[in-house]
Amino acid sequence: MKDKGCSLNMLILMFMAMGHTSYGATEATNMPVSYALVFIMMLIILLVTIFKMHLKIKKLKAIKLELDDQNNILQYMASHDPITHLYNRGTMVEHIQKHLLMQEHKISYLYDIAITNLRLINDTYSHDIGNEVLKVVAKRLREAFDGPLETLGMDQMTFLAIESHTRSKEDAITRAYRLIEGLSEPIEVDYMEIDVLISVGISMAPDHSLDAKQLIKKANMALVESLNRGYKSVYYYEDTLYIDVIKRITLEKQLRRAIKLNEMVLYYQPKINLKTMKVDGCEALIRWHHPDGHVIYPNDFIPLAEDIGFIDDIGKWVVTESICQVKRWQSLGHNIRISINVSGKEFDDEFIEHIQQNIKIHNIDPSLLEVEITETAALKDLNHSRHLVQTLHDFGIRVSLDDFGTGYSSMTYIKQLKASKLKIDKSFIDDLDNMEQRIVIESMILLGKKLDYYINIEGVESKKQLMILKKLGVDEVQGWLFSKAILPEAFIEYVKVFDENGL
Ligand code: C2E
Ligand code: MG
Ligand code: MG
């Protein structure tokens, strides 16, 4: 370009020089011809320059258009979900905020809609099929939410929809149930019919919040609660939910520190052998001595520990502490067997290894430790449980099936497990005056014994129950009639007194 500009300038100078020379030489005749020539040259140069500029502008315009296109694509990608093409999380927050501002404190309902079996679909089929399902559900949602006062988008794996047509909570809930119905129609992908399970959480503006992020958070809390209530359910946000979540978060933090701070304590409930009427071991029951002075019982924190994946730490601590307790009692001259409760979520090879290691380290007789696993947990994966029970037995540790009878399991499966003891649940002896209950418990004991099980009955509270159970040939009992779960020092005192004086 520069070169061309240069040569053009040279050309002009040349022509001007030519004009000047001819003017000097033939002044009278040539003067007008030279001027005309220069003028034409100048015109050509001007036209060429204009033409060049025009080309440049055209090129710049094309580049700008291209950039605009690229910019639009980038903007679209940044604001939309790549699979469903709905607004993505960030944009949805903005849109919901705009929606709320435009409604000026009028009622709006926000629906958080989840495909609860999406992960299963991804795992069972493939992510491609999962994406197809997402697309179809998004399309169905677009059809369901297409009014001027409605906005639809995605928040991570759930769909968010806000609308301002519905006038009451009941109507919003009904709309959500209708959505579930419509969205749950089986989806055909690659000649397969795929069932989708939908759950919905609802929050409402202005009551629950006028801030988009808060409103989404509350619809999401409602969704989590609706998932807890089963498939195809709807939950409408309530403030108690918020308080529950705050409490849970606080409890979770405290629970994670509880072991380090020595706040977990094992209590021991005696087990009585009905043949010898002596204490024959005990069950370790965990309690959390909370720093605020309360004792928290396992049913109030074990499920939380299971949810947050902290149950392994608790379980391992229970193993180590029980083995140390066996050792401490041994040093006082008492050989007392301790049975520990193991949650289904921690009953695995690693856990058993932990037991074996600790028994070796502390050098105790393995038969002084027993493991209790609930019938329901054990039968979730029969083959694996059978392998674990066998490993424990081979190592010399007996396994009991806790809360027996509450899981309605088939006796065939129970027998395959090859555990040693059945701990029949307290609920079966609550009303022994009732003939039907009497027949049920008699049959359970009979069948258990026929299958070579040692029979324990928990929750014995009265002498009458004790007498009946003795007659029915029960091997072992435990319950408040004898003692609640107590601290180790009190337990040793109890053993001494009971073994000497009886009940
Ligand atoms: P479980 O193993 O079936 O324990 C029996 C429960 O019944 C215990 O409640 C015990 O205190 C209570 N109990 C005993 N005798 C009587 C009685 O005569 N009447 C009545 N009404 N109740 C009686 P606890 O200690 O609250 O434990 C509840 C459950 O928590 C246990 O049921 C067990 O499944 C679980 N658990 C306890 N400790 C642990 C632990 O260290 N780890 C795990 N994973 N779970 C534990
Ligand atoms: Mg138990
Ligand atoms: Mg039990």
Side-chain angles (χ1 to χ4, degrees):
M1 291 283 279
K2 223 174 174 181
D3 285 352
K4 278 184 188 167
C6 249
S7 51
L8 209 70
N9 289 344
M10 290 281 284
L11 214 65
I12 297 171
L13 284 171
M14 258 172 65
F15 273 110
M16 282 177 74
M18 271 168 67
H20 197 261
T21 319
S22 56
Y23 175 77
T26 52
E27 212 168 271
T29 51
N30 286 350
M31 192 174 59
V33 177
S34 305
Y35 273 125
L37 201 63
V38 170
F39 176 74
I40 288 168
M41 288 312 298
M42 294 288 273
L43 200 66
I44 291 172
I45 290 161
L46 193 70
L47 283 175
V48 169
T49 314
I50 289 172
F51 181 68
K52 272 188 170 174
M53 274 172 73
H54 173 74
L55 280 183
K56 251 188 198 168
I57 289 170
K58 214 173 153 188
K59 208 170 177 182
L60 280 174
K61 271 190 182 164
I63 291 173
K64 189 176 176 299
L65 271 179
E66 203 175 302
L67 280 175
D68 280 354
D69 278 354
Q70 278 178 6
N71 217 12
N72 284 343
I73 293 172
L74 282 176
Q75 254 179 17
Y76 185 86
M77 276 164 63
S79 59
H80 287 74
D81 176 73
I83 296 162
T84 60
H85 295 281
L86 295 176
Y87 292 129
N88 63 16
R89 185 177 207 285
T91 334
M92 200 50 192
V93 176
E94 259 174 53
H95 278 281
I96 291 175
Q97 198 60 66
K98 266 190 215 154
H99 184 108
L100 294 174
L101 281 173
M102 271 159 48
Q103 293 311 307
E104 292 176 337
H105 293 223
K106 276 189 222 140
I107 292 177
S108 303
Y109 291 98
L110 178 68
Y111 304 80
D112 196 348
I113 305 153
I115 306 175
T116 57
N117 59 337
L118 185 63
R119 186 171 290 169
L120 192 68
I121 294 173
N122 283 336
D123 292 348
T124 320
Y125 302 100
S126 69
H127 278 263
D128 287 344
I129 301 250
N131 290 347
E132 287 308 310
V133 167
L134 267 173
K135 279 183 202 165
V136 174
V137 173
K139 183 173 170 280
R140 289 177 182 174
L141 273 171
R142 249 189 232 110
E143 284 157 12
F145 286 90
D146 66 348
L149 297 177
E150 299 179 323
T151 315
L152 181 65
M154 288 211 75
D155 179 25
Q156 286 152 13
M157 291 310 288
T158 68
F159 299 93
L160 285 176
I162 189 159
E163 53 100 1
S164 300
H165 294 295
T166 309
R167 286 278 150 250
S168 71
K169 169 183 171 181
E170 288 69 31
D171 287 352
I173 293 173
T174 312
R175 181 164 188 187
Y177 274 115
R178 267 202 220 113
L179 267 179
I180 292 183
E181 232 178 85
L183 298 178
S184 307
E185 285 282 309
I187 293 173
E188 217 185 285
V189 188
D190 284 355
Y191 306 104
M192 289 181 287
E193 274 214 338
I194 296 172
D195 285 315
V196 284
L197 298 171
I198 306 282
S199 285
V200 183
I202 310 172
S203 62
M204 186 264 253
D207 284 14
H208 299 150
S209 183
L210 271 171
D211 173 66
K213 279 189 183 160
Q214 282 298 318
L215 203 64
I216 295 175
K217 195 168 155 190
K218 290 183 174 179
N220 194 254
M221 278 183 196
L223 174 65
V224 171
E225 189 57 33
S226 92
L227 293 175
N228 288 339
R229 281 155 199 255
Y231 296 119
K232 297 190 175 187
S233 55
V234 175
Y235 195 84
Y236 188 89
Y237 174 81
E238 280 164 30
D239 278 334
T240 47
L241 213 58
Y242 194 72
I243 296 163
D244 283 353
V245 171
I246 297 289
K247 267 194 200 156
R248 192 186 144 108
I249 291 170
T250 318
L251 200 69
E252 189 183 317
K253 271 191 199 154
Q254 293 170 340
L255 184 58
R256 287 188 189 279
R257 291 195 307 241
I259 291 181
K260 276 193 204 120
L261 298 177
N262 286 329
E263 290 167 8
M264 289 297 167
V265 182
L266 287 183
Y267 281 56
Y268 300 89
Q269 184 179 42
K271 293 182 175 185
I272 313 296
N273 180 322
L274 287 188
K275 304 261 154 43
T276 61
M277 279 311 275
K278 298 265 185 270
V279 175
D280 188 15
C282 60
E283 176 173 6
L285 293 160
I286 197 167
R287 271 93 182 95
W288 178 7
H289 285 196
H290 195 272
D292 72 6
H294 288 102
V295 173
I296 307 185
Y297 285 81
N299 287 338
D300 292 327
F301 68 87
I302 292 286
L304 173 64
E306 287 177 343
D307 274 4
I308 63 173
F310 191 58
I311 193 67
D312 286 350
D313 297 68
I314 292 186
K316 283 179 182 164
W317 176 83
V318 170
V319 168
T320 313
E321 178 57 22
S322 306
I323 291 174
C324 288
Q325 191 55 58
V326 167
K327 213 56 195 165
R328 277 181 227 124
W329 280 334
Q330 272 183 340
S331 68
L332 296 173
H334 301 275
N335 253 344
I336 295 167
R337 180 185 307 120
I338 297 181
S339 63
I340 56 168
N341 289 283
V342 179
S343 151
K345 294 215 168 127
E346 47 173 328
F347 193 49
D348 56 17
D349 291 298
E350 191 194 328
F351 181 75
I352 290 180
E353 242 170 64
H354 179 80
I355 295 183
Q356 292 171 331
Q357 267 176 12
N358 270 268
I359 283 186
K360 279 178 195 152
I361 292 169
H362 292 94
N363 192 26
I364 67 156
D365 177 353
S367 70
L368 287 175
L369 197 73
E370 224 173 72
V371 164
E372 294 188 11
I373 170 120
T374 64
E375 168 200 358
T376 327
L379 291 182
K380 257 194 189 135
D381 183 350
L382 181 65
N383 281 338
H384 193 53
S385 299
R386 194 168 39 198
H387 150 75
L388 297 174
V389 170
Q390 189 65 49
T391 314
L392 283 169
H393 271 211
D394 293 347
F395 193 68
I397 296 174
R398 296 202 298 175
V399 177
S400 313
L401 285 184
D402 205 352
D403 301 346
F404 181 72
T406 55
Y408 308 104
S409 316
S410 137
M411 255 323 194
T412 327
Y413 291 148
I414 299 290
K415 189 59 201 155
Q416 285 179 29
L417 257 180
K418 299 221 168 71
S420 316
K421 197 188 271 190
L422 293 186
K423 290 191 73 179
I424 298 178
D425 192 68
K426 175 184 182 306
S427 55
F428 291 93
I429 57 158
D430 277 345
D431 185 12
L432 287 179
D433 286 337
N434 177 318
M435 267 323 278
E436 274 175 22
Q437 188 162 77
R438 194 74 163 257
I439 293 170
V440 170
I441 188 82
E442 266 189 54
S443 327
M444 281 170 97
I445 296 168
L446 214 73
L447 193 60
K449 284 191 153 279
K450 275 237 170 331
L451 293 173
D452 280 341
Y453 277 107
Y454 190 80
I455 308 287
N456 167 302
I457 302 226
E458 27 181 14
V460 178
E461 292 178 347
S462 71
K463 280 196 173 165
K464 192 173 167 191
Q465 284 173 321
L466 177 66
M467 298 315 292
I468 296 172
L469 296 175
K470 243 184 169 177
K471 269 196 207 144
L472 293 179
V474 170
D475 299 298
E476 180 186 272
V477 288
Q478 58 188 105
W480 294 352
L481 173 65
F482 302 96
S483 168
K484 288 192 170 179
I486 45 181
L487 287 166
E489 304 75 36
F491 183 84
I492 283 301
E493 280 314 303
Y494 181 87
V495 175
K496 282 184 202 157
V497 175
F498 186 85
D499 283 355
E500 226 163 79
N501 308 322
L503 192 60

